[in-house]
mmCIF file of all heavy atoms in Angstrom:
data_model
loop_
_atom_site.group_PDB
_atom_site.id
_atom_site.type_symbol
_atom_site.label_atom_id
_atom_site.label_comp_id
_atom_site.label_asym_id
_atom_site.label_seq_id
_atom_site.Cartn_x
_atom_site.Cartn_y
_atom_site.Cartn_z
ATOM 1 N N TRP Q 262 -119.230 -111.859 41.754
ATOM 2 C CA TRP Q 262 -120.168 -111.243 40.820
ATOM 3 C C TRP Q 262 -119.718 -111.377 39.337
ATOM 4 O O TRP Q 262 -120.491 -111.173 38.427
ATOM 5 C CB TRP Q 262 -120.391 -109.751 41.143
ATOM 6 C CG TRP Q 262 -119.147 -108.908 41.331
ATOM 7 C CD1 TRP Q 262 -118.564 -108.537 42.499
ATOM 8 C CD2 TRP Q 262 -118.353 -108.347 40.276
ATOM 9 N NE1 TRP Q 262 -117.455 -107.753 42.271
ATOM 10 C CE2 TRP Q 262 -117.299 -107.609 40.902
ATOM 11 C CE3 TRP Q 262 -118.402 -108.332 38.886
ATOM 12 C CZ2 TRP Q 262 -116.317 -106.910 40.202
ATOM 13 C CZ3 TRP Q 262 -117.435 -107.646 38.174
ATOM 14 C CH2 TRP Q 262 -116.404 -106.941 38.837
ATOM 15 N N ALA Q 263 -118.414 -111.732 39.158
ATOM 16 C CA ALA Q 263 -117.907 -111.821 37.773
ATOM 17 C C ALA Q 263 -117.787 -113.273 37.318
ATOM 18 O O ALA Q 263 -117.230 -113.546 36.259
ATOM 19 C CB ALA Q 263 -116.526 -111.182 37.706
ATOM 20 N N LYS Q 264 -118.375 -114.172 38.110
ATOM 21 C CA LYS Q 264 -118.195 -115.628 37.873
ATOM 22 C C LYS Q 264 -118.477 -116.028 36.430
ATOM 23 O O LYS Q 264 -117.710 -116.796 35.857
ATOM 24 C CB LYS Q 264 -119.103 -116.393 38.844
ATOM 25 C CG LYS Q 264 -118.541 -117.739 39.197
ATOM 26 C CD LYS Q 264 -119.360 -118.409 40.310
ATOM 27 C CE LYS Q 264 -118.945 -119.863 40.420
ATOM 28 N NZ LYS Q 264 -120.077 -120.758 40.554
ATOM 29 N N ASP Q 265 -119.561 -115.568 35.871
ATOM 30 C CA ASP Q 265 -119.925 -116.000 34.517
ATOM 31 C C ASP Q 265 -119.677 -114.895 33.474
ATOM 32 O O ASP Q 265 -120.204 -114.985 32.375
ATOM 33 C CB ASP Q 265 -121.379 -116.435 34.483
ATOM 34 C CG ASP Q 265 -121.595 -117.617 35.433
ATOM 35 O OD1 ASP Q 265 -120.840 -118.591 35.346
ATOM 36 O OD2 ASP Q 265 -122.539 -117.527 36.259
ATOM 37 N N MET Q 266 -118.924 -113.895 33.841
ATOM 38 C CA MET Q 266 -118.731 -112.764 32.894
ATOM 39 C C MET Q 266 -117.517 -112.976 32.002
ATOM 40 O O MET Q 266 -116.548 -113.538 32.420
ATOM 41 C CB MET Q 266 -118.375 -111.493 33.728
ATOM 42 C CG MET Q 266 -119.570 -110.715 34.129
ATOM 43 S SD MET Q 266 -119.007 -109.205 34.991
ATOM 44 C CE MET Q 266 -120.539 -108.692 35.656
ATOM 45 N N PRO Q 267 -117.634 -112.461 30.757
ATOM 46 C CA PRO Q 267 -116.437 -112.411 29.940
ATOM 47 C C PRO Q 267 -115.413 -111.485 30.630
ATOM 48 O O PRO Q 267 -115.823 -110.554 31.313
ATOM 49 C CB PRO Q 267 -116.908 -111.818 28.602
ATOM 50 C CG PRO Q 267 -118.373 -111.873 28.641
ATOM 51 C CD PRO Q 267 -118.803 -111.912 30.071
ATOM 52 N N GLU Q 268 -114.127 -111.747 30.370
ATOM 53 C CA GLU Q 268 -113.067 -110.969 30.965
ATOM 54 C C GLU Q 268 -113.250 -109.442 30.737
ATOM 55 O O GLU Q 268 -113.071 -108.642 31.640
ATOM 56 C CB GLU Q 268 -111.747 -111.463 30.374
ATOM 57 C CG GLU Q 268 -110.501 -110.889 30.990
ATOM 58 C CD GLU Q 268 -110.062 -111.670 32.247
ATOM 59 O OE1 GLU Q 268 -110.768 -112.627 32.654
ATOM 60 O OE2 GLU Q 268 -109.073 -111.269 32.860
ATOM 61 N N SER Q 269 -113.657 -109.097 29.508
ATOM 62 C CA SER Q 269 -113.737 -107.658 29.165
ATOM 63 C C SER Q 269 -114.836 -106.978 29.978
ATOM 64 O O SER Q 269 -114.685 -105.820 30.402
ATOM 65 C CB SER Q 269 -114.031 -107.511 27.661
ATOM 66 O OG SER Q 269 -115.199 -108.220 27.312
ATOM 67 N N THR Q 270 -115.935 -107.706 30.222
ATOM 68 C CA THR Q 270 -117.039 -107.141 31.028
ATOM 69 C C THR Q 270 -116.624 -106.954 32.482
ATOM 70 O O THR Q 270 -116.922 -105.930 33.093
ATOM 71 C CB THR Q 270 -118.274 -108.037 30.967
ATOM 72 O OG1 THR Q 270 -118.485 -108.456 29.620
ATOM 73 C CG2 THR Q 270 -119.510 -107.390 31.492
ATOM 74 N N MET Q 271 -115.904 -107.961 33.000
ATOM 75 C CA MET Q 271 -115.414 -107.869 34.386
ATOM 76 C C MET Q 271 -114.455 -106.692 34.492
ATOM 77 O O MET Q 271 -114.567 -105.899 35.485
ATOM 78 C CB MET Q 271 -114.687 -109.179 34.744
ATOM 79 C CG MET Q 271 -113.914 -109.081 36.066
ATOM 80 S SD MET Q 271 -113.281 -110.648 36.643
ATOM 81 C CE MET Q 271 -112.003 -110.987 35.449
ATOM 82 N N LEU Q 272 -113.542 -106.523 33.539
ATOM 83 C CA LEU Q 272 -112.555 -105.436 33.640
ATOM 84 C C LEU Q 272 -113.236 -104.063 33.559
ATOM 85 O O LEU Q 272 -112.859 -103.119 34.238
ATOM 86 C CB LEU Q 272 -111.513 -105.579 32.525
ATOM 87 C CG LEU Q 272 -110.475 -106.678 32.789
ATOM 88 C CD1 LEU Q 272 -109.724 -107.027 31.543
ATOM 89 C CD2 LEU Q 272 -109.519 -106.268 33.926
ATOM 90 N N ALA Q 273 -114.309 -103.954 32.718
ATOM 91 C CA ALA Q 273 -115.056 -102.690 32.626
ATOM 92 C C ALA Q 273 -115.677 -102.325 33.967
ATOM 93 O O ALA Q 273 -115.631 -101.178 34.420
ATOM 94 C CB ALA Q 273 -116.108 -102.800 31.523
#
Side-chain angles (χ1 to χ4, degrees):
W262 52 259
K264 210 172 167 223
D265 299 310
M266 271 184 192
E268 189 83 0
S269 56
T270 315
M271 169 172 69
L272 285 163

